[in-house]
Amino acid sequence: MDKIVIEGGASLRGDVEAGGAKNAALPLLFACLLTDQPCRLRRVPDVADIRTTRTLLQTLGATIEEVGPHELIVDCSGVREAEAPYDLVRKMRASFLALGPLVARFGRGRVSKPGGCAIGTRPVGMHLAGMMRLGARIEETHGYVDAVAEKLTGGHFIMEMPSVGATENVMLAAVLARGSSRIENAAREPEVVDLAAALSDMGAKIEGAGSSIIEIEGVEALGGYDHEVIPDRIEAGTFLIGAAMTRGDVHVDGARASDLGLLLECLEAAGATVVVEEGGVRVSAEARPRSVDIVTAPHPGFPTDLQAQWMALMTLSDGRARIAERIFENRFMHVPELARMGADIRVANGEAVVRGRERLSGAPVMATDLRASVSLVLAGLAAGGRTEVLRVYHLDRGYERIEEKLGALGASVRRVPV
Ligand code: UD1
């Protein structure tokens, strides 16, 4: 297992490219299960979660060809197996997205139930309620979920809350159902919109993705797609926060201001300069950040996946910032680690109060989940002295070559085998 070693103190400066969005690429890969035609996916990030998905699809019988850097052709014509085993699902919860396409195309899907994870219990009840609305029978035995339906039928599904995964899973099933479906209170994330675009390219009839009502008219069969994944707004946002935090100046190539709305407003409120440029977004800062409260919420609210990074920024602010986490019940695992670097943070009732300090001091710290680990990397960049971030595999789930990208921006970041 590697660790990341950071010598803090340098300002991030220069241009960096946002890779393809992991959270968009995952459902797009599962969409390949819906057709026996090849699908070509471009700008696929080379991160651990994508490798897990590739292994899962191959276990089901798919062939996957790497035709260029970040470019895959996925052929699911050979898929006969309809079971996603525990070994792979436990590595990555998004594997549960296999359920919708499997039951839609093969009449049966069997997927291991994902367990909890560091940030909360993360149930799948809404995914299952959605499948049942489409006429699937659900059985849960021996840690697996079986969804069976000779032919799914269109249905009307009102979600208790706009779950990203459940919206995607139901979309992936409803596109091949008989008749029309309607998802209300649907997630509006850009990744949902990207999935709808690729499904439309395959011949699906979908309207409303990006709004809270998605309408789908099922079709008999779908063809392949040729699709480029949207740039990763979370990776982009991480670099932009890093620029503000190190009083640097960074242009993130590919960052889409329309996907980053509230973050950019918050960065401006914190005193950074935000410029929407051709092909990307640039953030610079010269002074200590002002404190800015945030409340995480479904898109277009402040993304929970940027909460830890925002907290890292606020540890250096000139006041007191309130950070409320409303999506996951236990997403403050980075707090004790940031505290080891000198941050002053109190947590109570799903809210953190951060009193900014003038400086942090480098320390050995432990990554606990994907976004928590990158917040520790950001803190390490801004801190005095050396920071070592252990358990880097969390980081590798969602950030490609982060040490190289940060290095190119002037930071001293090394990956060291332990
Ligand atoms: C996706 C993202 C993740 C992000 C999250 C919220 C992917 C691969 N992952 O995760 O990075 O942090 O959206 O933006 O895209 N819930 C239920 N029952 C369900 C499903 C969800 O109660 O059946 C709850 C969850 O526990 C959580 C909330 O709904 O409290 C939102 O979760 P959801 O939007 O489903 O997150 P994911 O799709 O798992």
Side-chain angles (χ1 to χ4, degrees):
M1 214 185 297
D2 298 346
K3 65 181 176 185
I4 294 273
V5 180
I6 304 160
E7 305 292 342
S11 296
L12 297 182
R13 284 184 193 281
D15 285 13
V16 64
E17 195 179 353
K22 165 184 87 75
N23 287 353
L26 294 173
L28 288 164
L29 287 171
F30 287 109
C32 302
L33 287 167
L34 290 165
T35 174
D36 59 7
Q37 302 292 309
C39 297
R40 181 187 284 256
L41 194 56
R42 303 167 196 270
R43 193 153 57 192
V44 185
D46 186 13
V47 295
D49 277 7
I50 295 294
R51 290 193 283 275
T52 303
T53 308
R54 288 173 59 168
T55 308
L56 174 51
L57 292 176
Q58 282 163 333
T59 307
L60 295 171
T63 54
I64 301 179
E65 200 189 335
E66 226 171 293
V67 285
H70 301 115
E71 194 168 329
L72 302 176
I73 295 183
V74 183
D75 182 341
C76 288
S77 58
V79 170
R80 301 281 174 266
E81 200 53 59
E83 177 171 321
Y86 177 61
D87 234 23
L88 292 168
V89 180
R90 79 183 162 80
K91 278 196 191 152
M92 188 194 69
R93 298 180 43 83
S95 308
F96 206 70
L97 291 175
L99 192 68
L102 286 175
V103 68
R105 179 155 155 230
F106 301 104
R108 173 169 176 258
R110 182 173 160 80
V111 178
S112 167
K113 271 173 105 167
C117 69
I119 62 176
T121 49
R122 301 185 79 175
V124 289
M126 276 191 272
H127 297 240
L128 302 185
M131 297 302 146
M132 287 193 273
R133 285 275 178 280
L134 301 177
R137 290 186 306 283
I138 302 287
E139 250 189 54
E140 298 179 53
T141 46
H142 308 299
Y144 278 76
V145 171
D146 267 286
V148 182
E150 242 163 65
K151 178 78 184 163
L152 292 172
T153 48
H156 183 180
F157 179 40
I158 306 176
M159 295 210 292
E160 288 158 46
M161 62 172 119
S163 154
V164 177
T167 301
E168 292 167 345
N169 226 341
V170 173
M171 283 165 73
L172 287 164
V175 285
L176 284 181
R178 188 183 300 124
S180 50
S181 298
R182 184 179 163 91
I183 309 174
E184 281 188 50
N185 200 21
R188 294 187 281 163
E189 270 67 3
E191 293 76 18
V192 170
V193 178
D194 203 33
L195 174 62
L199 289 170
S200 299
D201 198 25
M202 297 169 83
K205 296 193 174 139
I206 304 186
E207 273 175 25
S211 79
S212 30
I213 298 183
I214 299 179
E215 292 185 293
I216 300 171
E217 190 63 42
V219 296
E220 265 307 307
L222 293 168
Y225 64 62
D226 183 336
H227 187 81
E228 184 171 85
V229 181
I230 54 170
D232 196 317
R233 65 195 167 101
I234 305 300
E235 186 196 21
T238 301
F239 289 129
L240 296 175
I241 292 173
M245 208 166 157
T246 58
R247 302 185 197 178
D249 184 347
V250 173
H251 168 95
V252 181
D253 205 25
R256 301 198 303 189
S258 53
D259 292 348
L260 286 165
L262 196 48
L263 172 71
L264 301 184
E265 280 183 28
C266 290
L267 281 167
E268 277 185 333
T273 304
V274 177
V275 185
V276 178
E277 298 181 330
E278 199 175 319
V281 176
R282 179 170 170 186
V283 165
S284 58
E286 280 166 11
R288 206 174 155 187
R290 288 195 289 269
S291 54
V292 178
D293 298 345
I294 58 153
V295 179
T296 64
H299 193 76
F302 195 96
T304 175
D305 285 351
L306 286 172
Q307 179 256 106
Q309 299 89 314
W310 189 260
M311 189 182 294
L313 176 68
M314 289 298 103
T315 61
L316 290 170
S317 73
D318 66 359
R320 210 177 75 120
R322 209 182 113 240
I323 295 183
E325 173 57 54
R326 298 277 186 260
I327 306 293
F328 293 110
E329 73 261 34
N330 191 24
R331 206 172 200 181
F332 285 133
M333 306 282 282
H334 40 289
V335 169
E337 302 301 313
L338 288 170
R340 300 195 69 251
M341 300 177 71
D344 178 350
I345 307 167
R346 303 274 146 81
V347 176
N349 306 321
E351 294 195 6
V353 175
V354 186
R355 283 174 211 273
R357 286 266 165 93
E358 234 167 277
R359 56 184 62 84
L360 297 173
S361 75
V365 286
M366 192 86 86
T368 49
D369 72 61
L370 171 54
R371 307 304 169 182
S373 37
V374 85
S375 76
L376 301 176
V377 172
L378 292 182
L381 294 173
R386 172 179 294 196
T387 295
E388 296 194 352
V389 182
L390 304 173
R391 296 202 187 154
V392 164
Y393 61 90
H394 288 294
L395 200 60
D396 292 337
R397 284 190 43 216
Y399 290 88
E400 183 178 335
R401 296 181 295 109
I402 190 163
E403 67 279 15
E404 278 177 42
K405 289 189 176 187
L406 290 172
L409 293 173
S412 164
V413 182
R414 283 177 298 134
R415 177 182 290 262
V416 178
V418 179

